[in-house]
Amino acid sequence: GIQVEQSPPDLILQEGANSTLRCNFSDSVNNLQWFHQNPWGQLINLFYIPSGTKQNGRLSATTVATERYSLLYISSSQTTDSGVYFCAVDKGNQFYFGTGTSLTVIP
Amino acid sequence: ETGVTQSPTHLIKTRGQQVTLRCSSQSGHNTVSWYQQALGQGPQFIFQYYREEENGRGNFPPRFSGLQFPNYSSELNVNALELDDSALYLCASSLDPGEKLFFGSGTQLSVL
């Protein structure tokens, strides 16, 4: 199967700071998605981004499929951004989730 | 438009028992996938159903089985429960295979 690694594993930010989360994957994939899991376990889809760059408010994501990585940018972080961020890739009707980045934003 | 709903939210079973978890897909979605998430880990893909047929499966034993119904809702069945089956079970639906995933709130299963 495909290996999906995320970095950093843990991140603590002051409210208002910016951050970059990285997702590396070991093989070509059909698509890539970013999710935020809140403290209650709910997974929210942030981006469906097999390639290129997308923006949604304070969040943006870039996937460079040829180099097998994706980046998630969080600007002006808020306490509600706390939680775990996962990337997930899809290849051949198989889904592989990354190891996650646990983000804590402190006021 | 209703989102993805799962039931029950919590469940306690004993080792060796069987369990059925249910998932209603988002309106208009014909694809459902199931995941197991152990504490502190990322979700692990169990299988995917598309138009009532299994069309992808992860590395899980045959005692994990599923169904998808004509209305595209789905069930996950686990036989001969083991202690390691204790986890959060998540269901996701999408318009078609490979499209954007929308997750339910999950079922927390505890096996004693």
Side-chain angles (χ1 to χ4, degrees):
Chain A
I2 296 176
Q3 306 303 311
V4 183
E5 296 182 355
Q6 293 184 240
S7 59
D10 300 282
L11 190 56
I12 299 175
L13 296 176
Q14 199 77 40
E15 197 169 27
N18 303 327
S19 62
T20 300
L21 282 56
R22 187 177 180 103
C23 171
N24 292 331
F25 43 99
S26 62
D27 198 357
S28 61
V29 297
N30 297 332
N31 66 68
L32 184 144
Q33 305 185 51
W34 281 97
F35 297 90
H36 174 222
Q37 189 166 40
N38 65 26
W40 299 271
Q42 178 72 50
L43 274 165
I44 304 298
N45 195 305
L46 300 175
F47 293 101
Y48 176 93
I49 185 166
S51 64
T53 297
K54 291 187 177 180
Q55 180 150 10
N56 184 3
R58 297 181 296 103
L59 303 182
S60 64
T62 295
T63 297
V64 184
T66 53
E67 297 186 22
R68 300 179 186 167
Y69 74 90
S70 183
L71 301 173
L72 177 69
Y73 306 94
I74 304 174
S75 64
S76 304
S77 58
Q78 301 176 357
T79 55
T80 52
D81 294 332
S82 296
V84 183
Y85 290 80
F86 290 103
C87 63
V89 300
D90 167 23
K91 184 178 179 76
N93 288 332
Q94 296 271 333
F95 291 87
Y96 303 89
F97 273 74
T99 48
T101 292
S102 178
L103 174 64
T104 302
V105 180
I106 54 178
Chain B
E1 179 180 285
T2 56
V4 179
T5 57
Q6 292 186 241
S7 63
T9 55
H10 296 83
L11 202 51
I12 300 175
K13 292 285 189 178
T14 56
R15 195 170 46 183
Q17 285 189 311
Q18 177 266 343
V19 68
T20 298
L21 310 182
R22 294 178 175 82
C23 172
S24 293
S25 59
Q26 186 164 314
S27 177
H29 288 188
N30 59 29
T31 304
V32 171
S33 51
W34 286 91
Y35 303 80
Q36 180 195 67
Q37 187 176 22
L39 193 63
Q41 298 183 18
Q44 298 291 312
F45 172 67
I46 303 175
F47 44 57
Q48 176 174 266
Y49 278 82
Y50 169 60
R51 296 186 180 273
E52 303 179 60
E53 298 287 332
E54 183 182 296
N55 82 328
R57 189 177 182 93
N59 189 25
F60 279 80
R63 60 189 186 85
F64 286 78
S65 63
L67 281 174
Q68 188 178 32
F69 299 100
N71 66 355
Y72 302 132
S73 65
S74 178
E75 288 183 353
L76 164 65
N77 299 290
V78 187
N79 294 322
L81 283 167
E82 301 177 359
L83 297 180
D84 285 348
D85 295 333
S86 295
L88 179 66
Y89 288 83
L90 294 160
C91 163
S93 75
S94 58
L95 277 171
D96 281 302
E99 297 292 322
K100 187 173 180 177
L101 294 174
F102 294 85
F103 278 86
S105 300
T107 294
Q108 185 66 53
L109 172 65
S110 298
V111 182
L112 307 178

